[in-house]
Amino acid sequence: MSTSVAAKKHKMLSPQPVERVDWKKRKAELKETQKQRKEIKTIKQLEKQKELEAAEAAKLEQKQIKKGRDYTVSIALPGSVLDNAQSPELRTYLAGQIARACVVFCVDEIVVFDEQGEDVKSVEGEFKGVGKKGHACIQLARILQFLECPQYLRKWFFPKHRDLQYAGLLNPLDSPHHMRMDDESEYREGIVLDRPIKQGKGSLVNCGMRKDVRIDKQLQSGLRVTVQLSDTQNQESKLFQGVVVAPHVPRTEGGLYWGYSVRLASCLSAVFTESPYKDGYDLTVGTSERGSSLDQTSLKPFKHLLVVFGGLQGLEASVDADQKLNVTDPSALFDLYLNTCPGQGSRTIRTEEAILVSMAGLRQKIAAAFTDVSNGSLKS
């Protein structure tokens, strides 16, 4: 074997030198990587915090801008308008038209009064037949209450009843408090549940959502309540959190139309004397073709507006039937006595039509009355 060949073989057989790991360098690289990760994480957290703060600021600004209204609008009409319908189906449909008209124009209270002077103050009892004296008011009030109630609460508050036989076929009101299960809202209507809960832990309320709501107060079961949900909810919790508020809060603070209440009055004068407001209605309007033209009328700012509609024979018949009134001219009962549809082409305007015509005309007058008042609210 030649020397050169032997040298090559020896070189191939000799072990190659192994490069040692520089642990100091590796440790420094790991530290630098961790530092970069922490910086990226901190930047992301800061960005997320800024987004949350911006969202909270936007929500607060929206709340300040979207202040509710302090004033209320009420209408009153005789229950005898249902007597103009020839069947229970038509009576129900007529009541549905009235409810729809009131919701479209954000009416807060509907007063159903009896032209016959019957002492009707409750919706208890059953409808005895078309045109039966005294029962038209009860049936109208019951259907109005049924339609105003959110769909998910009706099974608790409205058991099967002959007056409501055809109410399920009526057009839904679709007002803001009629929510679907997954609709997001600050406020909801609910029913207090009869479920055991620890003392001092409030009550549970079904608000038509996937979870029940724990409220801050211990209330009797079966009550209908207005709940304000907490801004932040723990999605992993079995319950949502909320507080009970007055029914007017969504309107006065949230700027939402929150449906109407229904009141029965035994006669026309009871519409005024049994007002649920402490100082009554400070602006009353009667509607008649004998009144002055709405077009030339302006409204002053008010706290509680009442608009009264007559029945088949007009307000004159309601005044004549009321034994507690010593006047013969209906205009003496109101601050304003208005013809809301001057130059009408029909001899008569049906009450459900009069509500639409009158409230459409008054809507502009109401807006004008509060033009100089901050965000539609009456200053005290």
Side-chain angles (χ1 to χ4, degrees):
M1 182 181 294
S2 64
T3 306
S4 60
V5 173
K8 283 182 181 179
K9 189 173 181 182
H10 177 74
K11 189 176 181 180
M12 291 174 65
L13 292 174
S14 63
Q16 297 292 327
V18 179
E19 186 178 352
R20 295 188 64 184
V21 176
D22 190 343
W23 292 110
K24 287 185 177 180
K25 185 179 179 181
R26 177 71 63 87
K27 191 174 181 181
E29 289 175 350
L30 288 173
K31 280 187 176 180
E32 184 65 25
T33 304
Q34 289 177 350
K35 185 179 178 181
Q36 289 177 357
R37 286 178 181 172
K38 283 184 178 179
E39 287 177 353
I40 293 171
K41 188 176 180 181
T42 304
I43 291 170
K44 285 184 177 179
Q45 287 177 343
L46 288 172
E47 288 177 349
K48 190 175 181 180
Q49 187 176 352
K50 284 182 180 179
E51 288 177 1
L52 289 172
E53 288 176 355
E56 288 294 327
K59 189 184 289 185
L60 183 62
E61 185 180 354
Q62 187 178 9
K63 276 187 179 181
Q64 291 173 346
I65 294 173
K66 197 180 178 183
K67 190 178 184 300
R69 59 179 172 91
D70 293 331
Y71 68 84
T72 66
V73 177
S74 303
I75 73 162
L77 72 161
S80 61
V81 296
L82 290 193
D83 292 337
N84 203 27
Q86 289 76 30
S87 68
E89 294 91 336
L90 291 175
R91 290 167 76 99
T92 304
Y93 183 72
L94 177 55
Q97 286 181 297
I98 293 169
R100 284 282 304 172
C102 291
V103 167
V104 166
F105 291 104
C106 300
V107 171
D108 303 297
E109 181 195 28
I110 304 176
V111 187
V112 181
F113 64 91
D114 195 335
E115 286 183 307
Q116 308 300 326
E118 297 289 335
D119 192 18
V120 177
K121 292 185 179 179
S122 171
V123 293
E124 297 298 324
E126 292 194 9
F127 171 56
K128 302 296 183 181
V130 176
K132 292 292 183 182
K133 180 180 175 182
H135 289 281
C137 295
I138 297 174
Q139 187 185 25
L140 176 57
R142 184 179 282 118
I143 295 172
L144 292 175
Q145 288 177 334
F146 174 83
L147 290 174
E148 186 277 335
C149 183
Q151 289 88 334
Y152 58 85
L153 295 180
R154 288 175 182 171
K155 62 183 178 181
W156 278 289
F157 295 109
F158 294 92
K160 286 186 177 180
H161 196 283
R162 290 177 65 188
D163 285 359
L164 303 174
Q165 185 177 359
Y166 304 102
L169 302 175
L170 294 175
N171 296 321
L173 300 186
D174 205 25
S175 55
H177 66 303
H178 287 200
M179 295 177 199
R180 283 73 174 174
M181 182 177 289
D182 295 318
D183 286 351
E184 293 186 5
S185 176
E186 184 179 0
Y187 303 96
R188 271 189 175 261
E189 289 293 291
I191 180 172
V192 180
L193 298 174
D194 185 12
R195 283 175 51 185
I197 195 166
K198 290 182 181 179
Q199 189 71 24
K201 294 292 185 179
S203 301
L204 295 182
V205 177
N206 183 341
C207 289
M209 299 187 292
R210 297 187 185 277
K211 301 176 186 178
D212 293 331
V213 181
R214 187 197 298 276
I215 57 174
D216 57 328
K217 295 180 181 178
Q218 191 101 26
L219 299 177
Q220 182 182 352
S221 62
L223 288 177
R224 176 176 167 177
V225 292
T226 304
V227 176
Q228 184 176 13
L229 298 170
S230 302
D231 291 335
T232 55
Q233 299 285 353
N234 183 3
Q235 298 301 324
E236 296 180 0
S237 174
K238 292 183 179 180
L239 299 170
F240 288 133
Q241 301 295 324
V243 296
V244 174
V245 296
H248 65 77
V249 170
R251 167 178 59 83
T252 56
E253 297 183 10
L256 298 169
Y257 173 62
W258 211 243
Y260 54 78
S261 61
V262 181
R263 176 164 67 92
L264 281 165
S266 58
C267 55
L268 179 58
S269 58
V271 173
F272 301 88
T273 58
E274 296 174 3
S275 170
Y277 306 111
K278 182 180 178 182
D279 298 321
Y281 305 103
D282 55 341
L283 180 60
T284 57
V285 177
T287 59
S288 171
E289 61 181 359
R290 298 175 182 83
S292 25
S293 174
L294 174 64
D295 300 337
Q296 280 78 49
T297 304
S298 60
L299 302 182
K300 62 178 182 179
F302 54 84
K303 287 185 178 180
H304 305 293
L305 168 66
L306 172 68
V307 185
V308 183
F309 299 90
L312 303 179
Q313 281 83 42
L315 283 172
E316 290 78 10
S318 301
V319 171
D320 292 340
D322 193 337
Q323 301 298 321
K324 299 176 183 178
L325 293 175
N326 297 322
V327 299
T328 55
D329 187 357
S331 63
L333 302 176
F334 306 99
D335 298 318
L336 298 170
Y337 198 55
L338 301 177
N339 180 359
T340 57
C341 187
Q344 63 192 61
S346 174
R347 292 189 185 91
T348 57
I349 295 179
R350 297 168 65 92
T351 304
E352 65 273 21
E353 298 167 343
I355 294 174
L356 286 169
V357 172
S358 302
M359 298 311 296
L362 287 169
R363 184 186 64 83
Q364 298 174 346
K365 305 292 183 181
I366 293 170
F370 289 100
T371 299
D372 299 328
V373 185
S374 175
N375 204 21
S377 300
L378 184 63
K379 298 290 186 184
S380 299

